[in-house]
Amino acid sequence: MDAAIETYSLTKVYRSLWRRREIRAVDDVSLRVERGTTFGLLGPNGAGKTTFVKMLLSSVRPTAGSASIFGQDCRRAEARRPIGYLPENHRFPAYMTGSGMLDFYAALSGMDAGSRRRRIGELLALVGLEKWAGLRLGKYSKGMLQRLGLAQALMHSPALLVLDEPSDGVDPVGRRQIREMLHGLEERGVTIFINSHLLAEVELFCREVAILHRGKVALVGKVKELTAGNGYSLSAASVPERLEEELRARASAAASRDGLLELQFASRQQVNEAVDLLRAAGCEIESLLPTASTLEEVFMRTVNA
Ligand code: ATP
């Protein structure tokens, strides 16, 4: 089956004004985003994320390579029909009301008046803005504007939602609301592609990520696999001296802190043997945790490599 998004050696080279310098904003990127997945495109400022999205949406012409949306060449107008898009730093006119703005965009997408009225009601309920539908946008908070922006992107029930920094500038409560909304859409089979530098948000939400660095894909994979642990961390209290010596010899790392012995083990078998020895000696286990990396750690390792 065709992927939701597939790019083949997609490349964009900008030339400086005097054509002396080339900027390879996106450099030979081949990515596949499966249908129904939530995919995060990460990267430091200037990595090429926005240029990549603009090429998918055909607002920037690739220098080389190609991209398809649900199997259709992204340069064809029909390929853009199934896409709902929330740009970064959108600017909706402050004098419009929430429902007026949605009506304007729905009319632009060609919906008739009856369908617009019904859909706007549904979307305002979905994003929790029914009570503020008649309020002018100048009075909306950043979080409310982002939720309204999402409603705009969802107007024609898109199969692919492309969101550029959807949680940027939104407080933790608003972020949670956005996350819950997106989870609801994911359950309904919508493919969600997010451009973001908010790594903790992406980790909470996306199943797969790609890290762009200087225009190239530096890392791609499932979030669970990229952050998977490579060992266990065990801490125990009141460990007799002789047992401590033995455990230190077995562990890959060890430290004593606040009356606790903290040990790192590379395998499940090793940590289980250590637990058996500790419990047989009457010691109390304080904690036992798999040592996973955060997405931020994976990201830092990748971009600093
Ligand atoms: P950010 O996170 O800051 O939004 P980004 O990852 O989205 O960054 P892009 O905006 O795609 O990165 O920019 C990638 C590179 O291309 C940067 O070096 C940028 O300066 C350059 N660039 C982007 N648009 C143009 C343009 N229209 N003309 C020339 N250079 C450009």
Side-chain angles (χ1 to χ4, degrees), residues 103-132:
D103 192 57
F104 176 76
Y105 280 89
L108 280 184
S109 85
M111 287 169 81
D112 64 65
S115 318
R116 292 202 308 259
R117 213 171 307 118
R118 196 180 55 249
R119 187 71 183 136
I120 289 169
E122 283 168 15
L123 286 169
L124 286 169
L126 178 74
V127 300
L129 289 175
E130 306 111 298
K131 278 196 243 158
W132 293 278

Side-chain angles (χ1 to χ4, degrees), residues 151-194:
Q152 169 275 131
L154 290 168
M155 184 59 70
H156 60 305
S157 307
L160 170 63
L161 199 53
V162 177
L163 308 173
D164 206 340
E165 302 289 1
S167 309
D168 206 15
V170 180
D171 68 24
V173 177
R175 281 184 194 182
R176 199 193 174 109
Q177 287 168 336
I178 290 176
R179 230 172 27 238
E180 283 168 0
M181 260 179 55
L182 295 180
H183 274 307
L185 293 166
E186 184 196 12
E187 276 166 17
R188 278 185 256 153
V190 176
T191 308
I192 304 176
F193 184 92
I194 296 185

Side-chain angles (χ1 to χ4, degrees), residues 11-116:
T11 301
K12 178 68 193 177
V13 180
Y14 289 113
R15 291 181 208 287
S16 65
L17 208 53
W18 307 106
R19 293 189 166 251
R20 285 197 191 125
R21 207 164 71 84
E22 279 191 349
I23 300 160
R24 299 189 79 80
V26 173
D27 193 359
D28 196 20
V29 170
S30 297
L31 267 187
R32 188 179 160 93
V33 177
E34 298 299 342
R35 287 169 187 245
T37 197
T38 47
F39 194 100
L41 185 65
L42 314 174
N45 293 129
K49 306 180 296 291
T50 301
T51 305
F52 179 84
V53 165
K54 284 182 176 171
M55 285 193 282
L56 290 183
L57 300 170
S58 265
S59 71
V60 161
R61 184 195 286 259
T63 310
S66 61
S68 64
I69 309 286
F70 296 113
Q72 294 203 69
D73 187 323
C74 75
R75 287 169 303 180
R76 298 180 61 186
E78 305 89 88
R80 293 196 287 280
R81 274 261 148 224
I83 306 178
Y85 176 49
L86 175 69
E88 187 182 16
N89 300 324
H90 53 69
R91 295 270 182 276
F92 301 125
Y95 61 82
M96 279 185 153
T97 61
S99 55
M101 180 282 241
L102 290 179
D103 192 57
F104 176 76
Y105 280 89
L108 280 184
S109 85
M111 287 169 81
D112 64 65
S115 318
R116 292 202 308 259

Side-chain angles (χ1 to χ4, degrees), residues 203 206-209 219-230 291-295 298 301:
E203 184 165 2
C206 292
R207 293 190 192 281
E208 280 183 59
V209 290
L219 190 73
V220 62
K222 296 204 163 37
V223 173
K224 264 200 183 141
E225 289 167 12
L226 295 176
T227 58
N230 49 5
T291 49
S293 301
T294 62
L295 193 56
V298 174
R301 281 200 296 270

